[in-house]
Amino acid sequence: MISRMVFTVTQVNRYVKKALEADALLAGLFIEGELSNFNAHSSGHLYFTLKDAGAAISGVMFKSHAGGLDFMPKSGMKVIAFGHLSLYEKTGQYQLYVEFLEPAGIGGLQLAFAQLKEKLEKEGLFDAARKREIPRFAQTIAVITSPTGAAVQDIIRIIRERNPSVKILISPAIVQGEAAAADLVRAVTEVNEYGKADVIIIGRGGGSIEDLHAFNDETLARAIRASKIPVISAVGHETDFTIADFVADLRAPTPTAAAQIAAFDLAATHAHIDDLRHDLSRAVSASVQARRADIKSHLATLSRAMDYHIGCFGTKLTNLEIMLDKVSPYTLFKRGFALTKITSVKELTIGQDIEITWADGKANATITEIT
């Protein structure tokens, strides 16, 4: 009779699992393939199948590793996965346990940038209607950048040249590395809490996409959008674009340009005010001359009108005098008549004294006879 050892399924799977995990080649593999059946579970774990034209292998990326991804994987995406092979004992299926995942052919940071840009754009964070106007005459400018970089020196120099009276508030922040995004968010929050800045410049000098990665952070983008103070983004060179540029109220191509936008040119402003003053003086002088000519013309017209009306009134007065003269008792005086206050002879008595009036005087008379 043949001697044999009988194993349970569990024992076999555990043996195979140990064998797979003990193999140095299978303990750290880079595998390129296409994602399919991708599932981002509510637990934070990622489940998928990695395949090529001739084969497929199941894969899983646990939450502890998936949380560090800069992009969101999707079915159909070609990726390079790094991990180790092992056996999932419950199903007896071997699978790839992924620790690192990146897009194949396009950098993970570039893909993360494109995905975040699309997401925030759909939410309306880039809408022009939500952007605020940069104040023309800012008195205090907050600058969020590295205190040791060339960008901060350029910004200070330009502001001082354009307007020495403007106050500059430097809020130092880390602008590169893993801690940069959180530090930039802190700086934006603190400047808003301080509340005395009229405008914020946030940025740094140029660099690679890795160097500028902090300015492509979603949390920073939302902090910029939530800022109560208008924000000018000035990241890198003119050809560099970051999420901060799209969400800010204004994008400046360089830190130097941001300083020129934020600080008004004091000398140019004074010159402009002088020009306006001269223009106003000339306009007032011309207006006064025009008003004087108008007043002179109106006075001449008024004088002619007054002469005409006075003439009319004079004619009317003469006619009234003639009419009055005709009915006046004094006209009768000129013809030899005299005036008494007796209205009827019946009012007289013999011996009564009466007064008689002529044009040139009066006389008293006594009634001696009544006819």
Side-chain angles (χ1 to χ4, degrees):
M1 185 175 182
I2 300 175
S3 177
R4 60 181 180 178
M5 293 182 63
V6 178
F7 297 93
T8 64
V9 175
T10 299
Q11 289 174 325
V12 172
N13 281 352
R14 286 178 179 175
Y15 177 81
V16 173
K17 181 178 181 179
K18 288 181 180 179
L20 289 173
E21 293 179 350
D23 191 309
L25 178 62
L26 302 180
L29 292 173
F30 284 96
I31 304 177
E32 182 176 353
E34 179 183 320
L35 292 176
S36 65
N37 300 321
F38 180 81
N39 177 26
H41 196 269
S42 59
S43 63
H45 305 324
L46 306 180
Y47 300 95
F48 49 86
T49 299
L50 197 62
K51 66 178 185 177
D52 58 22
I57 184 173
S58 295
V60 60
M61 190 174 195
F62 294 127
K63 179 180 179 180
S64 57
H65 295 299
L69 288 177
D70 292 318
F71 71 102
M72 176 53 69
K74 298 179 181 179
S75 292
M77 184 182 294
K78 290 186 177 181
V79 296
I80 297 176
F82 171 79
H84 66 276
L85 282 178
S86 187
L87 187 78
Y88 185 54
E89 297 180 40
K90 287 186 178 181
T91 62
Q93 187 177 30
Y94 79 93
Q95 60 184 6
L96 181 66
Y97 290 82
V98 178
E99 300 173 17
F100 174 78
L101 194 67
E102 70 173 11
I106 180 173
L109 293 179
Q110 188 64 38
L111 180 60
F113 169 84
Q115 289 182 339
L116 181 58
K117 180 175 180 292
E118 180 181 6
K119 175 184 176 180
L120 298 182
E121 190 169 17
K122 287 180 178 178
E123 290 185 28
L125 266 68
F126 304 159
D127 290 353
R130 301 182 67 170
K131 296 183 183 296
R132 292 156 299 186
E133 186 176 355
I134 304 301
R136 292 183 60 188
F137 301 104
Q139 298 300 313
T140 301
I141 300 173
V143 181
I144 299 176
T145 189
S146 169
T148 59
V152 70
Q153 299 302 324
D154 290 340
I155 291 173
I156 293 173
R157 175 178 55 81
I158 294 299
I159 293 176
R160 287 284 174 260
E161 289 176 356
R162 290 176 64 82
N163 193 340
S165 65
V166 169
K167 296 179 181 178
I168 304 174
L169 173 65
I170 303 297
S171 182
I174 303 171
V175 296
Q176 185 173 330
E178 293 183 2
D183 204 41
L184 290 167
V185 171
R186 173 202 54 78
V188 172
T189 303
E190 288 181 354
V191 171
N192 273 268
E193 290 175 350
Y194 181 63
K196 295 185 179 180
D198 300 307
V199 64
I200 296 173
I201 297 175
I202 184 170
R204 54 155 292 161
S208 65
I209 188 171
E210 291 82 6
D211 296 336
L212 307 181
H213 180 56
F215 294 89
N216 290 324
D217 181 79
E218 181 175 354
T219 305
L220 176 61
R222 297 190 184 280
I224 291 174
R225 183 67 276 159
S227 172
K228 298 177 182 178
I229 303 170
V231 178
I232 301 175
S233 175
V235 184
H237 302 299
E238 189 169 357
T239 55
D240 295 324
F241 281 89
T242 65
I243 296 298
D245 293 327
F246 293 108
V247 76
D249 296 292
L250 183 68
R251 183 236 177 199
T254 62
T256 299
Q260 292 173 336
I261 294 169
F264 66 96
D265 191 326
L266 187 60
T269 301
H270 284 165
H272 182 59
I273 291 174
D274 289 340
D275 290 341
L276 291 177
R277 184 182 292 112
H278 294 154
D279 291 344
L280 179 60
S281 178
R282 288 193 294 268
V284 170
S285 178
S287 178
V288 169
Q289 294 299 326
R291 296 291 81 77
R292 284 178 177 173
D294 289 344
I295 291 172
K296 187 175 181 180
S297 175
H298 291 323
L299 287 175
T301 302
L302 181 61
S303 178
R304 289 192 296 271
M306 290 179 63
D307 290 343
Y308 170 76
H309 288 295
I310 289 173
C312 291
F313 287 138
T315 302
K316 288 181 179 181
L317 183 60
T318 301
N319 292 336
L320 289 173
E321 288 177 346
I322 293 172
M323 293 176 63
L324 183 61
D325 187 61
K326 288 181 180 181
V327 298
S328 174
Y330 292 98
T331 302
L332 296 175
F333 292 157
K334 297 177 182 178
R335 294 163 56 189
F337 291 91
L339 175 67
T340 68
K341 295 181 180 180
I342 306 301
T343 60
S344 172
V345 72
K346 295 179 180 180
E347 298 178 9
L348 298 174
T349 59
I350 298 300
Q352 180 181 350
D353 292 330
I354 63 172
E355 185 181 80
I356 303 173
T357 302
W358 286 270
D360 57 350
K362 299 178 182 180
N364 293 324
T366 303
I367 300 300
T368 59
E369 182 181 352
I370 297 174
T371 304

